[in-house]
Amino acid sequence: MAEKKEDEKAASQPKLNKIYVPGTINKVRVGMCQILLSDTVHTGKNGTKTVKSNNPVTLYDTSGPYSDSRYVHSMENGLFRIRDGWNCRRKDIVQEKHHAGMNGHHFPNRPPVSRAKPDKQITQMYYARKRIITPEMEYVAIRENQQVEALGIKSYITPDFVRKELLSGRAVIPCNINHPEVEPMIIGKRFRVKVNTQILPPGDSAKDAVDQIILYCKWGTDTLLDLSLHDNCHQTREWLIRNSPVPFGTSPLYQALMKAGGKAEDLSWELFRDTLIEQAEQGIDFVAIHAGMRREHLKLIDIRLTELVSRSGIAISRWMEAHREENFLHTHFGEICEILKTYDITLWLSCGLRPGSIYDANDDAQYAEQHEMSGLIEAAWDQCVQVMCEGPGHVPLNKIETNIKDHQHICRGLPFFTLGITTVDIAGEFDYIASAIGSAHIAWHGASLISGITMKDELRVPAPEDIRTDIFAHKIAAHSADIAKGHPGAQVRDNALSKARREGRLEDFHVLKIAP
């Protein structure tokens, strides 16, 4: 009898399960986390007990197979390539074993390099134009809904809705065909607000770097942005991409600058182009390109309090001043798009002139660069390249709504990405709080991707506990915006937690909290 009671008690305890939801159009299996809640027990006045079961809560899960208790990870083999079968069924891709820039150092289980055939298009925007619902589109539709239909909640997010948002340019799915391990996700204001994490992986230990990003994925980051500045960044990045279930991004100018010996004056289009191709073949899913920054804009920063704070923006301005020429990223923008569409890499139009203080927020320099981006967006769309745009870093609360409304108008409603939007300049070590406040506000008004730690010292690797705090602060900001926007099912978890607290189901209450 005692054993039976223990079994019943164990069965009623909350559990975290990894589940896989199949698609109906394509052969996809979408991984999610499901919380099985304990029963609600009511005791009547006469002492009789009534037991009612509680619906499970399905969560959006960024941890990939790492949260599956049955999964045995091998860093040397990398993650299972869930998109290999999808890519093989496409007749517009060619594969070869050559890898640019590897210098004899190969990942042990490196997949062959894939690219579009010379006369073919392979971007998600192109397929959307052709009315094709790709496995990636169905995958993100299932993932976004978190099975809310089973709870009686209607959702507008269908595979065809995803296709239409990609077609309009209001959303992007960052998924380089050379990153077959990535679990497709979508960035756009009609979908869940996503959280990016900037990383500075150590250059002396690939294992330590992989262990770090596994933690970040388990903590809930939706994308990773590599800001490596060490000599082994290419080799380390190879290990990270092979073991990353979330989209992986870079700023190629960083590595190009390293190749130039740290001298901005020695940068060249050829050096940047070769670096971009190297990273494209590795599998980066989105790239920061500062093509909207023009030589004529430099005079607009003279009256600023903080001038330039973007590392890439500073490098480009020095190059333009030294050579007395136009920004080579702008001059060769068409060729950049040719490279990106060959691998289906999402273009992230970055702000080299973004304000570094709230005093300079929404100034002429910022708007001049945004207006320049408008023409670049059209040029990228002409080649079916997926595009998102970066917003400013320092904006007081009263200017955030105006900022994003102007951006959405100028940049045609593109997904808006903000890197640590802080509402005050004095937060210091508590910048993540100022950033979370600003991020929640701007995401509510339409930003699609918000970011964690703003690196003030790019040579210092943040401690893991700092990254953890930052990720959870911005996950709370993103969730706050999702509720305010009325995203389908956004409040399910909150309601389940409140019900558990009212009924005294403390185990359920603790497992439903956002932090593990």
PDB file of all heavy atoms in Angstrom, residues 364-398:
ATOM      1  N   ASP A 364      20.353  63.426 -36.376  1.00  0.00           N
ATOM      2  CA  ASP A 364      20.408  63.435 -37.838  1.00  0.00           C
ATOM      3  C   ASP A 364      21.281  62.317 -38.397  1.00  0.00           C
ATOM      4  O   ASP A 364      20.964  61.744 -39.450  1.00  0.00           O
ATOM      5  CB  ASP A 364      20.934  64.797 -38.332  1.00  0.00           C
ATOM      6  CG  ASP A 364      19.950  65.924 -38.103  1.00  0.00           C
ATOM      7  OD1 ASP A 364      18.754  65.627 -37.873  1.00  0.00           O
ATOM      8  OD2 ASP A 364      20.365  67.100 -38.139  1.00  0.00           O
ATOM      9  N   ALA A 365      22.370  62.005 -37.727  1.00  0.00           N
ATOM     10  CA  ALA A 365      23.267  60.953 -38.217  1.00  0.00           C
ATOM     11  C   ALA A 365      22.559  59.599 -38.231  1.00  0.00           C
ATOM     12  O   ALA A 365      22.656  58.831 -39.196  1.00  0.00           O
ATOM     13  CB  ALA A 365      24.526  60.883 -37.344  1.00  0.00           C
ATOM     14  N   GLN A 366      21.840  59.311 -37.173  1.00  0.00           N
ATOM     15  CA  GLN A 366      21.107  58.045 -37.088  1.00  0.00           C
ATOM     16  C   GLN A 366      20.077  57.945 -38.205  1.00  0.00           C
ATOM     17  O   GLN A 366      19.982  56.907 -38.883  1.00  0.00           O
ATOM     18  CB  GLN A 366      20.416  57.936 -35.737  1.00  0.00           C
ATOM     19  CG  GLN A 366      19.517  56.710 -35.598  1.00  0.00           C
ATOM     20  CD  GLN A 366      18.647  56.757 -34.356  1.00  0.00           C
ATOM     21  OE1 GLN A 366      19.052  57.273 -33.315  1.00  0.00           O
ATOM     22  NE2 GLN A 366      17.433  56.224 -34.457  1.00  0.00           N
ATOM     23  N   TYR A 367      19.306  59.012 -38.416  1.00  0.00           N
ATOM     24  CA  TYR A 367      18.267  58.971 -39.443  1.00  0.00           C
ATOM     25  C   TYR A 367      18.853  58.965 -40.850  1.00  0.00           C
ATOM     26  O   TYR A 367      18.280  58.362 -41.767  1.00  0.00           O
ATOM     27  CB  TYR A 367      17.304  60.142 -39.261  1.00  0.00           C
ATOM     28  CG  TYR A 367      16.251  59.885 -38.209  1.00  0.00           C
ATOM     29  CD1 TYR A 367      16.335  60.463 -36.947  1.00  0.00           C
ATOM     30  CD2 TYR A 367      15.173  59.048 -38.478  1.00  0.00           C
ATOM     31  CE1 TYR A 367      15.375  60.215 -35.980  1.00  0.00           C
ATOM     32  CE2 TYR A 367      14.203  58.797 -37.516  1.00  0.00           C
ATOM     33  CZ  TYR A 367      14.307  59.378 -36.263  1.00  0.00           C
ATOM     34  OH  TYR A 367      13.347  59.121 -35.303  1.00  0.00           O
ATOM     35  N   ALA A 368      19.987  59.604 -41.043  1.00  0.00           N
ATOM     36  CA  ALA A 368      20.624  59.596 -42.365  1.00  0.00           C
ATOM     37  C   ALA A 368      21.006  58.169 -42.760  1.00  0.00           C
ATOM     38  O   ALA A 368      20.804  57.748 -43.914  1.00  0.00           O
ATOM     39  CB  ALA A 368      21.862  60.486 -42.352  1.00  0.00           C
ATOM     40  N   GLU A 369      21.544  57.416 -41.813  1.00  0.00           N
ATOM     41  CA  GLU A 369      21.908  56.029 -42.096  1.00  0.00           C
ATOM     42  C   GLU A 369      20.667  55.181 -42.343  1.00  0.00           C
ATOM     43  O   GLU A 369      20.660  54.319 -43.227  1.00  0.00           O
ATOM     44  CB  GLU A 369      22.728  55.465 -40.939  1.00  0.00           C
ATOM     45  CG  GLU A 369      23.327  54.099 -41.226  1.00  0.00           C
ATOM     46  CD  GLU A 369      24.257  53.625 -40.123  1.00  0.00           C
ATOM     47  OE1 GLU A 369      24.120  54.096 -38.974  1.00  0.00           O
ATOM     48  OE2 GLU A 369      25.123  52.783 -40.421  1.00  0.00           O
ATOM     49  N   GLN A 370      19.605  55.407 -41.578  1.00  0.00           N
ATOM     50  CA  GLN A 370      18.372  54.649 -41.781  1.00  0.00           C
ATOM     51  C   GLN A 370      17.789  54.902 -43.167  1.00  0.00           C
ATOM     52  O   GLN A 370      17.331  53.964 -43.834  1.00  0.00           O
ATOM     53  CB  GLN A 370      17.349  55.007 -40.706  1.00  0.00           C
ATOM     54  CG  GLN A 370      17.590  54.309 -39.380  1.00  0.00           C
ATOM     55  CD  GLN A 370      16.424  54.484 -38.411  1.00  0.00           C
ATOM     56  OE1 GLN A 370      15.429  55.131 -38.725  1.00  0.00           O
ATOM     57  NE2 GLN A 370      16.551  53.914 -37.233  1.00  0.00           N
ATOM     58  N   HIS A 371      17.779  56.142 -43.614  1.00  0.00           N
ATOM     59  CA  HIS A 371      17.263  56.457 -44.950  1.00  0.00           C
ATOM     60  C   HIS A 371      18.115  55.781 -46.025  1.00  0.00           C
ATOM     61  O   HIS A 371      17.583  55.353 -47.054  1.00  0.00           O
ATOM     62  CB  HIS A 371      17.224  57.963 -45.165  1.00  0.00           C
ATOM     63  CG  HIS A 371      16.039  58.631 -44.525  1.00  0.00           C
ATOM     64  ND1 HIS A 371      14.760  58.525 -45.033  1.00  0.00           N
ATOM     65  CD2 HIS A 371      15.937  59.411 -43.407  1.00  0.00           C
ATOM     66  CE1 HIS A 371      13.915  59.208 -44.264  1.00  0.00           C
ATOM     67  NE2 HIS A 371      14.605  59.754 -43.268  1.00  0.00           N
ATOM     68  N   GLU A 372      19.406  55.679 -45.794  1.00  0.00           N
ATOM     69  CA  GLU A 372      20.284  54.988 -46.741  1.00  0.00           C
ATOM     70  C   GLU A 372      19.941  53.498 -46.794  1.00  0.00           C
ATOM     71  O   GLU A 372      20.001  52.862 -47.850  1.00  0.00           O
ATOM     72  CB  GLU A 372      21.748  55.174 -46.330  1.00  0.00           C
ATOM     73  CG  GLU A 372      22.743  54.813 -47.409  1.00  0.00           C
ATOM     74  CD  GLU A 372      22.652  55.712 -48.630  1.00  0.00           C
ATOM     75  OE1 GLU A 372      22.507  56.943 -48.469  1.00  0.00           O
ATOM     76  OE2 GLU A 372      22.710  55.172 -49.759  1.00  0.00           O
ATOM     77  N   MET A 373      19.566  52.946 -45.647  1.00  0.00           N
ATOM     78  CA  MET A 373      19.205  51.528 -45.593  1.00  0.00           C
ATOM     79  C   MET A 373      17.995  51.228 -46.470  1.00  0.00           C
ATOM     80  O   MET A 373      17.864  50.124 -47.005  1.00  0.00           O
ATOM     81  CB  MET A 373      18.893  51.115 -44.154  1.00  0.00           C
ATOM     82  CG  MET A 373      20.101  50.995 -43.244  1.00  0.00           C
ATOM     83  SD  MET A 373      19.562  50.483 -41.582  1.00  0.00           S
ATOM     84  CE  MET A 373      21.132  50.497 -40.708  1.00  0.00           C
ATOM     85  N   SER A 374      17.100  52.189 -46.615  1.00  0.00           N
ATOM     86  CA  SER A 374      15.878  51.966 -47.378  1.00  0.00           C
ATOM     87  C   SER A 374      16.180  51.511 -48.793  1.00  0.00           C
ATOM     88  O   SER A 374      15.578  50.552 -49.300  1.00  0.00           O
ATOM     89  CB  SER A 374      15.030  53.244 -47.403  1.00  0.00           C
ATOM     90  OG  SER A 374      13.835  53.051 -48.126  1.00  0.00           O
ATOM     91  N   GLY A 375      17.137  52.172 -49.444  1.00  0.00           N
ATOM     92  CA  GLY A 375      17.513  51.773 -50.795  1.00  0.00           C
ATOM     93  C   GLY A 375      18.222  50.433 -50.831  1.00  0.00           C
ATOM     94  O   GLY A 375      18.054  49.649 -51.774  1.00  0.00           O
ATOM     95  N   LEU A 376      19.004  50.152 -49.796  1.00  0.00           N
ATOM     96  CA  LEU A 376      19.722  48.878 -49.731  1.00  0.00           C
ATOM     97  C   LEU A 376      18.752  47.711 -49.568  1.00  0.00           C
ATOM     98  O   LEU A 376      18.987  46.616 -50.098  1.00  0.00           O
ATOM     99  CB  LEU A 376      20.714  48.889 -48.563  1.00  0.00           C
ATOM    100  CG  LEU A 376      21.835  49.928 -48.649  1.00  0.00           C
ATOM    101  CD1 LEU A 376      22.680  49.899 -47.378  1.00  0.00           C
ATOM    102  CD2 LEU A 376      22.721  49.692 -49.878  1.00  0.00           C
ATOM    103  N   ILE A 377      17.672  47.945 -48.835  1.00  0.00           N
ATOM    104  CA  ILE A 377      16.665  46.902 -48.644  1.00  0.00           C
ATOM    105  C   ILE A 377      16.071  46.495 -49.988  1.00  0.00           C
ATOM    106  O   ILE A 377      15.930  45.304 -50.291  1.00  0.00           O
ATOM    107  CB  ILE A 377      15.561  47.392 -47.691  1.00  0.00           C
ATOM    108  CG1 ILE A 377      16.122  47.574 -46.279  1.00  0.00           C
ATOM    109  CG2 ILE A 377      14.377  46.438 -47.680  1.00  0.00           C
ATOM    110  CD1 ILE A 377      15.222  48.375 -45.368  1.00  0.00           C
ATOM    111  N   GLU A 378      15.737  47.481 -50.800  1.00  0.00           N
ATOM    112  CA  GLU A 378      15.181  47.182 -52.122  1.00  0.00           C
ATOM    113  C   GLU A 378      16.165  46.374 -52.960  1.00  0.00           C
ATOM    114  O   GLU A 378      15.786  45.423 -53.656  1.00  0.00           O
ATOM    115  CB  GLU A 378      14.822  48.486 -52.838  1.00  0.00           C
ATOM    116  CG  GLU A 378      13.619  49.209 -52.279  1.00  0.00           C
ATOM    117  CD  GLU A 378      12.320  48.441 -52.520  1.00  0.00           C
ATOM    118  OE1 GLU A 378      12.279  47.591 -53.430  1.00  0.00           O
ATOM    119  OE2 GLU A 378      11.348  48.683 -51.782  1.00  0.00           O
ATOM    120  N   ALA A 379      17.437  46.756 -52.895  1.00  0.00           N
ATOM    121  CA  ALA A 379      18.465  46.049 -53.664  1.00  0.00           C
ATOM    122  C   ALA A 379      18.608  44.604 -53.194  1.00  0.00           C
ATOM    123  O   ALA A 379      18.781  43.685 -54.004  1.00  0.00           O
ATOM    124  CB  ALA A 379      19.809  46.773 -53.540  1.00  0.00           C
ATOM    125  N   ALA A 380      18.528  44.388 -51.877  1.00  0.00           N
ATOM    126  CA  ALA A 380      18.620  43.030 -51.337  1.00  0.00           C
ATOM    127  C   ALA A 380      17.393  42.208 -51.716  1.00  0.00           C
ATOM    128  O   ALA A 380      17.512  41.042 -52.111  1.00  0.00           O
ATOM    129  CB  ALA A 380      18.776  43.088 -49.817  1.00  0.00           C
ATOM    130  N   TRP A 381      16.216  42.806 -51.618  1.00  0.00           N
ATOM    131  CA  TRP A 381      14.985  42.098 -51.979  1.00  0.00           C
ATOM    132  C   TRP A 381      14.964  41.719 -53.456  1.00  0.00           C
ATOM    133  O   TRP A 381      14.395  40.691 -53.828  1.00  0.00           O
ATOM    134  CB  TRP A 381      13.769  42.950 -51.634  1.00  0.00           C
ATOM    135  CG  TRP A 381      13.414  42.931 -50.184  1.00  0.00           C
ATOM    136  CD1 TRP A 381      13.954  42.122 -49.216  1.00  0.00           C
ATOM    137  CD2 TRP A 381      12.438  43.751 -49.534  1.00  0.00           C
ATOM    138  NE1 TRP A 381      13.375  42.398 -47.995  1.00  0.00           N
ATOM    139  CE2 TRP A 381      12.437  43.383 -48.161  1.00  0.00           C
ATOM    140  CE3 TRP A 381      11.568  44.750 -49.958  1.00  0.00           C
ATOM    141  CZ2 TRP A 381      11.594  43.990 -47.231  1.00  0.00           C
ATOM    142  CZ3 TRP A 381      10.726  45.355 -49.043  1.00  0.00           C
ATOM    143  CH2 TRP A 381      10.737  44.977 -47.681  1.00  0.00           C
ATOM    144  N   ASP A 382      15.561  42.548 -54.298  1.00  0.00           N
ATOM    145  CA  ASP A 382      15.625  42.223 -55.726  1.00  0.00           C
ATOM    146  C   ASP A 382      16.341  40.900 -55.958  1.00  0.00           C
ATOM    147  O   ASP A 382      16.085  40.214 -56.960  1.00  0.00           O
ATOM    148  CB  ASP A 382      16.348  43.338 -56.493  1.00  0.00           C
ATOM    149  CG  ASP A 382      15.492  44.577 -56.679  1.00  0.00           C
ATOM    150  OD1 ASP A 382      14.260  44.480 -56.479  1.00  0.00           O
ATOM    151  OD2 ASP A 382      16.039  45.650 -57.005  1.00  0.00           O
ATOM    152  N   GLN A 383      17.245  40.540 -55.024  1.00  0.00           N
ATOM    153  CA  GLN A 383      17.965  39.273 -55.129  1.00  0.00           C
ATOM    154  C   GLN A 383      17.408  38.222 -54.157  1.00  0.00           C
ATOM    155  O   GLN A 383      18.037  37.196 -53.923  1.00  0.00           O
ATOM    156  CB  GLN A 383      19.457  39.494 -54.869  1.00  0.00           C
ATOM    157  CG  GLN A 383      20.111  40.443 -55.870  1.00  0.00           C
ATOM    158  CD  GLN A 383      21.615  40.307 -55.897  1.00  0.00           C
ATOM    159  OE1 GLN A 383      22.148  39.216 -55.989  1.00  0.00           O
ATOM    160  NE2 GLN A 383      22.316  41.433 -55.822  1.00  0.00           N
ATOM    161  N   CYS A 384      16.242  38.496 -53.610  1.00  0.00           N
ATOM    162  CA  CYS A 384      15.555  37.574 -52.681  1.00  0.00           C
ATOM    163  C   CYS A 384      16.374  37.289 -51.428  1.00  0.00           C
ATOM    164  O   CYS A 384      16.292  36.193 -50.848  1.00  0.00           O
ATOM    165  CB  CYS A 384      15.210  36.256 -53.380  1.00  0.00           C
ATOM    166  SG  CYS A 384      13.937  36.422 -54.635  1.00  0.00           S
ATOM    167  N   VAL A 385      17.152  38.255 -50.989  1.00  0.00           N
ATOM    168  CA  VAL A 385      17.914  38.119 -49.757  1.00  0.00           C
ATOM    169  C   VAL A 385      17.041  38.541 -48.584  1.00  0.00           C
ATOM    170  O   VAL A 385      16.390  39.595 -48.629  1.00  0.00           O
ATOM    171  CB  VAL A 385      19.193  38.993 -49.798  1.00  0.00           C
ATOM    172  CG1 VAL A 385      19.907  38.972 -48.447  1.00  0.00           C
ATOM    173  CG2 VAL A 385      20.133  38.498 -50.886  1.00  0.00           C
ATOM    174  N   GLN A 386      16.996  37.721 -47.535  1.00  0.00           N
ATOM    175  CA  GLN A 386      16.258  38.069 -46.330  1.00  0.00           C
ATOM    176  C   GLN A 386      17.010  39.168 -45.580  1.00  0.00           C
ATOM    177  O   GLN A 386      18.237  39.126 -45.468  1.00  0.00           O
ATOM    178  CB  GLN A 386      16.111  36.848 -45.420  1.00  0.00           C
ATOM    179  CG  GLN A 386      15.384  35.679 -46.061  1.00  0.00           C
ATOM    180  CD  GLN A 386      15.156  34.563 -45.062  1.00  0.00           C
ATOM    181  OE1 GLN A 386      14.179  34.572 -44.317  1.00  0.00           O
ATOM    182  NE2 GLN A 386      16.064  33.599 -45.025  1.00  0.00           N
ATOM    183  N   VAL A 387      16.276  40.142 -45.040  1.00  0.00           N
ATOM    184  CA  VAL A 387      16.909  41.307 -44.416  1.00  0.00           C
ATOM    185  C   VAL A 387      16.250  41.650 -43.084  1.00  0.00           C
ATOM    186  O   VAL A 387      15.026  41.600 -42.951  1.00  0.00           O
ATOM    187  CB  VAL A 387      16.820  42.553 -45.329  1.00  0.00           C
ATOM    188  CG1 VAL A 387      17.705  43.676 -44.783  1.00  0.00           C
ATOM    189  CG2 VAL A 387      17.202  42.227 -46.764  1.00  0.00           C
ATOM    190  N   MET A 388      17.075  42.018 -42.102  1.00  0.00           N
ATOM    191  CA  MET A 388      16.596  42.670 -40.891  1.00  0.00           C
ATOM    192  C   MET A 388      17.515  43.860 -40.605  1.00  0.00           C
ATOM    193  O   MET A 388      18.633  43.922 -41.125  1.00  0.00           O
ATOM    194  CB  MET A 388      16.544  41.705 -39.701  1.00  0.00           C
ATOM    195  CG  MET A 388      17.833  41.032 -39.340  1.00  0.00           C
ATOM    196  SD  MET A 388      17.581  39.898 -37.918  1.00  0.00           S
ATOM    197  CE  MET A 388      19.189  39.127 -37.810  1.00  0.00           C
ATOM    198  N   CYS A 389      17.040  44.802 -39.829  1.00  0.00           N
ATOM    199  CA  CYS A 389      17.786  46.037 -39.585  1.00  0.00           C
ATOM    200  C   CYS A 389      18.067  46.223 -38.096  1.00  0.00           C
ATOM    201  O   CYS A 389      17.272  45.832 -37.242  1.00  0.00           O
ATOM    202  CB  CYS A 389      17.006  47.254 -40.083  1.00  0.00           C
ATOM    203  SG  CYS A 389      16.894  47.369 -41.863  1.00  0.00           S
ATOM    204  N   GLU A 390      19.191  46.860 -37.824  1.00  0.00           N
ATOM    205  CA  GLU A 390      19.572  47.149 -36.445  1.00  0.00           C
ATOM    206  C   GLU A 390      19.094  48.529 -36.029  1.00  0.00           C
ATOM    207  O   GLU A 390      19.128  49.477 -36.824  1.00  0.00           O
ATOM    208  CB  GLU A 390      21.095  47.076 -36.298  1.00  0.00           C
ATOM    209  CG  GLU A 390      21.579  47.349 -34.888  1.00  0.00           C
ATOM    210  CD  GLU A 390      23.097  47.396 -34.787  1.00  0.00           C
ATOM    211  OE1 GLU A 390      23.770  47.129 -35.793  1.00  0.00           O
ATOM    212  OE2 GLU A 390      23.589  47.717 -33.690  1.00  0.00           O
ATOM    213  N   GLY A 391      18.675  48.623 -34.791  1.00  0.00           N
ATOM    214  CA  GLY A 391      18.269  49.903 -34.233  1.00  0.00           C
ATOM    215  C   GLY A 391      19.331  50.469 -33.312  1.00  0.00           C
ATOM    216  O   GLY A 391      20.398  49.885 -33.145  1.00  0.00           O
ATOM    217  N   PRO A 392      19.059  51.597 -32.685  1.00  0.00           N
ATOM    218  CA  PRO A 392      20.041  52.288 -31.841  1.00  0.00           C
ATOM    219  C   PRO A 392      20.258  51.600 -30.504  1.00  0.00           C
ATOM    220  O   PRO A 392      19.487  50.728 -30.108  1.00  0.00           O
ATOM    221  CB  PRO A 392      19.409  53.670 -31.640  1.00  0.00           C
ATOM    222  CG  PRO A 392      17.935  53.397 -31.715  1.00  0.00           C
ATOM    223  CD  PRO A 392      17.771  52.304 -32.729  1.00  0.00           C
ATOM    224  N   GLY A 393      21.299  52.014 -29.804  1.00  0.00           N
ATOM    225  CA  GLY A 393      21.629  51.396 -28.528  1.00  0.00           C
ATOM    226  C   GLY A 393      21.238  52.201 -27.306  1.00  0.00           C
ATOM    227  O   GLY A 393      21.062  51.647 -26.235  1.00  0.00           O
ATOM    228  N   HIS A 394      21.117  53.514 -27.425  1.00  0.00           N
ATOM    229  CA  HIS A 394      20.805  54.371 -26.278  1.00  0.00           C
ATOM    230  C   HIS A 394      19.632  55.280 -26.639  1.00  0.00           C
ATOM    231  O   HIS A 394      19.766  56.170 -27.478  1.00  0.00           O
ATOM    232  CB  HIS A 394      22.018  55.237 -25.893  1.00  0.00           C
ATOM    233  CG  HIS A 394      23.172  54.441 -25.373  1.00  0.00           C
ATOM    234  ND1 HIS A 394      23.583  54.499 -24.061  1.00  0.00           N
ATOM    235  CD2 HIS A 394      24.007  53.572 -25.985  1.00  0.00           C
ATOM    236  CE1 HIS A 394      24.618  53.697 -23.883  1.00  0.00           C
ATOM    237  NE2 HIS A 394      24.896  53.118 -25.044  1.00  0.00           N
ATOM    238  N   VAL A 395      18.483  55.044 -26.005  1.00  0.00           N
ATOM    239  CA  VAL A 395      17.288  55.848 -26.277  1.00  0.00           C
ATOM    240  C   VAL A 395      16.505  56.011 -24.984  1.00  0.00           C
ATOM    241  O   VAL A 395      16.196  55.019 -24.326  1.00  0.00           O
ATOM    242  CB  VAL A 395      16.371  55.181 -27.329  1.00  0.00           C
ATOM    243  CG1 VAL A 395      15.215  56.118 -27.691  1.00  0.00           C
ATOM    244  CG2 VAL A 395      17.142  54.787 -28.578  1.00  0.00           C
ATOM    245  N   PRO A 396      16.156  57.238 -24.587  1.00  0.00           N
ATOM    246  CA  PRO A 396      15.308  57.417 -23.402  1.00  0.00           C
ATOM    247  C   PRO A 396      13.905  56.902 -23.692  1.00  0.00           C
ATOM    248  O   PRO A 396      13.480  56.837 -24.852  1.00  0.00           O
ATOM    249  CB  PRO A 396      15.324  58.930 -23.177  1.00  0.00           C
ATOM    250  CG  PRO A 396      15.636  59.512 -24.515  1.00  0.00           C
ATOM    251  CD  PRO A 396      16.540  58.531 -25.190  1.00  0.00           C
ATOM    252  N   LEU A 397      13.183  56.547 -22.651  1.00  0.00           N
ATOM    253  CA  LEU A 397      11.857  55.945 -22.821  1.00  0.00           C
ATOM    254  C   LEU A 397      10.919  56.788 -23.678  1.00  0.00           C
ATOM    255  O   LEU A 397      10.155  56.258 -24.487  1.00  0.00           O
ATOM    256  CB  LEU A 397      11.218  55.703 -21.443  1.00  0.00           C
ATOM    257  CG  LEU A 397      11.622  54.432 -20.700  1.00  0.00           C
ATOM    258  CD1 LEU A 397      11.017  54.431 -19.302  1.00  0.00           C
ATOM    259  CD2 LEU A 397      11.198  53.194 -21.460  1.00  0.00           C
ATOM    260  N   ASN A 398      10.973  58.102 -23.511  1.00  0.00           N
ATOM    261  CA  ASN A 398      10.029  58.954 -24.220  1.00  0.00           C
ATOM    262  C   ASN A 398      10.295  59.047 -25.722  1.00  0.00           C
ATOM    263  O   ASN A 398       9.465  59.546 -26.476  1.00  0.00           O
ATOM    264  CB  ASN A 398      10.041  60.367 -23.619  1.00  0.00           C
ATOM    265  CG  ASN A 398      11.399  61.030 -23.717  1.00  0.00           C
ATOM    266  OD1 ASN A 398      12.383  60.489 -23.207  1.00  0.00           O
ATOM    267  ND2 ASN A 398      11.471  62.189 -24.349  1.00  0.00           N
TER     268      ASN A 398
END
